[in-house]
Amino acid sequence: MIRVLVATDAWHPQVNGVVQTLSEIARAAEPLGANLRFLSPDAFPTVPLPTYPEIRLALPQPGVIARRIVSEQPDAIHIATEGPIGHIVRRYCVRKGLPFTTSFHTRFPEYLSARAPIPEGWTWAWLRRFHNAGTGVMAATQALTDELTGRGFRNVLLWSRGVDASLFRPRAQADLGLPRPVFLSVGRVAVEKNLEAFLSLDLPGTKVVVGDGPARADLAQRFPDAVFLGTRRGEDLATIYAAADVFVFPSKTDTFGLVLLEALASGAPVAAFPVRGPRDVIGNAPVGALDPDLEAACRRALTISRDACRAFALQMSWEASTRKFLSFLRVHRSVAGRSPAAVSEWRLPPPSCAAKGD
């Protein structure tokens, strides 16, 4: 069993794409012969993140992290986020000459500039320095890998995502008891998600928002006709997806958008702006309407086949995503010249039907 230590500043009870991705690959990795252990905020004191108190920022001690790395004796180290935990693990690895990989999940330059007058160029320079110390940086789409390469990031690796198609599936009896059509948006309720662009549209039926965040109270007051359901998980969330007629994704800053695959697996077509994220996930597939006019996209999405949406999502699996992740850990640890026998001899079992999209 290969031991992988993952450093992340995003962890439960946060609800976001980073936490979900790490949780899913940890589950999928076990049958593939890998055990993922996490250095996460639950092991340290935390403080509320400025402007976003729902997220707790860890205050890790370097000595505690160093002892944890030594005790784990990992065969590979992956740094998932660029927060305090990620920085301390990066510094330890650089000082000890330990190879590590990273992943790029969040477009911090745009997020920070939406909240404070911080030039995006400064943030990109900081991110480039952070990731280039590793042996490879994983990104979710081809467009993002190309962009990062163009910005001077080295060894950018394409690592796509998956969906739990057994949980997120069509449900014939799903009904929210609201006037239809139901236009649904799921995700963090924050300024960078551009929810106002969705909530201000003149659409028939009902607009529904699932999720929580610092902008919820203000948006609920300004758009009283919209239904805010708060954070939902598991079967409850899956039923809401299946009850939606259209999934609306107004964000212009997401690197991927796992919610897009969850909606499609549930049979809900997507309406979005033609930007990175939805454009990269959907491409030219007939499962979404991408239009600079979001209202036009929403209305056009009502005509899209729900069966086509489901079929498209079935091509994605967490097993396939995890295989790619683990293969990058193995190869780039070997490139760094520190591949122990256990890693060099590691072979993944044959793909299951789910991983092959059958």
Side-chain angles (χ1 to χ4, degrees):
M1 183 70 73
I2 298 300
R3 297 185 300 274
V4 179
L5 185 62
V6 179
T8 177
D9 294 274
W11 199 237
H12 303 286
Q14 294 180 36
V15 180
N16 56 45
V18 179
V19 176
Q20 184 175 353
T21 295
L22 295 178
S23 299
E24 294 288 353
I25 66 169
R27 280 192 287 270
E30 290 284 345
L32 299 177
N35 176 252
L36 269 62
R37 305 293 295 273
F38 293 92
L39 264 172
S40 54
D42 53 355
F44 304 100
T46 61
V47 296
L49 182 67
T51 77
Y52 205 149
E54 291 87 350
I55 295 179
R56 306 287 300 185
L57 197 65
L59 301 175
Q61 297 82 32
V64 172
I65 285 183
R67 288 191 292 273
R68 174 71 184 280
I69 295 173
V70 171
S71 67
E72 290 286 351
Q73 295 186 317
D75 297 307
I77 296 174
H78 180 76
I79 301 176
T81 59
E82 305 94 342
I85 293 174
H87 268 276
I88 292 176
V89 173
R90 173 190 178 278
R91 184 172 61 186
Y92 178 90
C93 290
V94 170
R95 287 180 175 176
K96 298 294 184 178
L98 297 176
F100 63 93
T101 54
T102 65
S103 48
F104 188 97
H105 293 273
T106 306
R107 302 186 68 88
F108 280 118
E110 287 89 341
Y111 284 13
L112 290 176
S113 66
R115 289 176 163 82
I118 300 176
E120 291 186 12
W122 293 4
T123 311
W124 279 115
W126 160 61
L127 289 171
R128 183 168 54 247
R129 180 176 180 275
F130 180 93
H131 289 280
N132 280 351
T135 59
V137 51
M138 305 182 200
T141 68
Q142 186 62 56
L144 183 57
T145 63
D146 293 342
E147 179 186 359
L148 294 179
T149 299
R151 291 183 180 277
F153 289 67
R154 296 192 293 268
N155 296 326
V156 187
L157 313 167
L158 177 58
W159 172 39
S160 192
R161 304 294 190 264
V163 64
D164 182 350
S166 62
L167 174 62
F168 298 104
R169 64 185 189 275
R171 300 162 190 248
Q173 305 304 317
D175 189 353
L176 299 180
L178 299 169
R180 305 192 80 138
V182 171
F183 295 90
L184 171 69
S185 185
V186 177
R188 190 166 60 250
V189 185
V191 61
E192 67 270 8
K193 296 300 182 179
N194 198 30
L195 281 168
E196 185 173 355
F198 163 48
L199 297 173
S200 61
L201 298 178
D202 181 15
L203 293 170
T206 309
K207 303 186 192 79
V208 176
V209 176
V210 171
D212 211 342
R216 179 180 174 181
D218 175 63
L219 290 175
Q221 182 178 29
R222 292 168 55 200
F223 300 99
D225 292 336
V227 178
F228 289 78
L229 297 179
T231 299
R232 302 297 179 94
R233 296 181 175 86
E235 289 286 335
D236 192 13
L237 174 60
T239 299
I240 294 172
Y241 272 120
D245 295 288
V246 173
F247 182 76
V248 186
F249 190 78
S251 174
K252 295 183 177 181
T253 60
D254 277 57
T255 58
F256 189 85
L258 291 175
V259 290
L260 296 171
L261 292 182
E262 293 172 353
L264 293 170
S266 305
V270 170
F273 291 108
V275 296
R276 290 170 307 215
R279 188 175 58 203
D280 300 329
V281 172
I282 294 172
N284 296 321
V287 297
L290 307 184
D291 197 308
D293 183 339
L294 189 59
E295 182 176 327
C298 289
R299 293 179 182 274
R300 194 163 74 249
L302 287 168
T303 67
I304 292 173
S305 164
R306 296 178 71 87
D307 289 340
C309 296
R310 173 70 175 175
F312 176 86
L314 288 177
Q315 301 174 68
M316 313 285 188
S317 76
W318 281 117
E319 181 184 332
S321 176
T322 304
R323 284 176 173 277
K324 182 66 71 173
F325 173 76
L326 296 176
S327 69
F328 285 147
L329 296 187
R330 179 179 182 276
V331 169
H332 283 268
R333 189 165 172 78
S334 297
V335 167
R338 295 180 58 87
S339 177
V343 177
S344 63
E345 295 172 0
W346 178 26
R347 296 293 182 270
L348 294 174
S352 69
C353 291
K356 294 184 284 186
D358 295 343

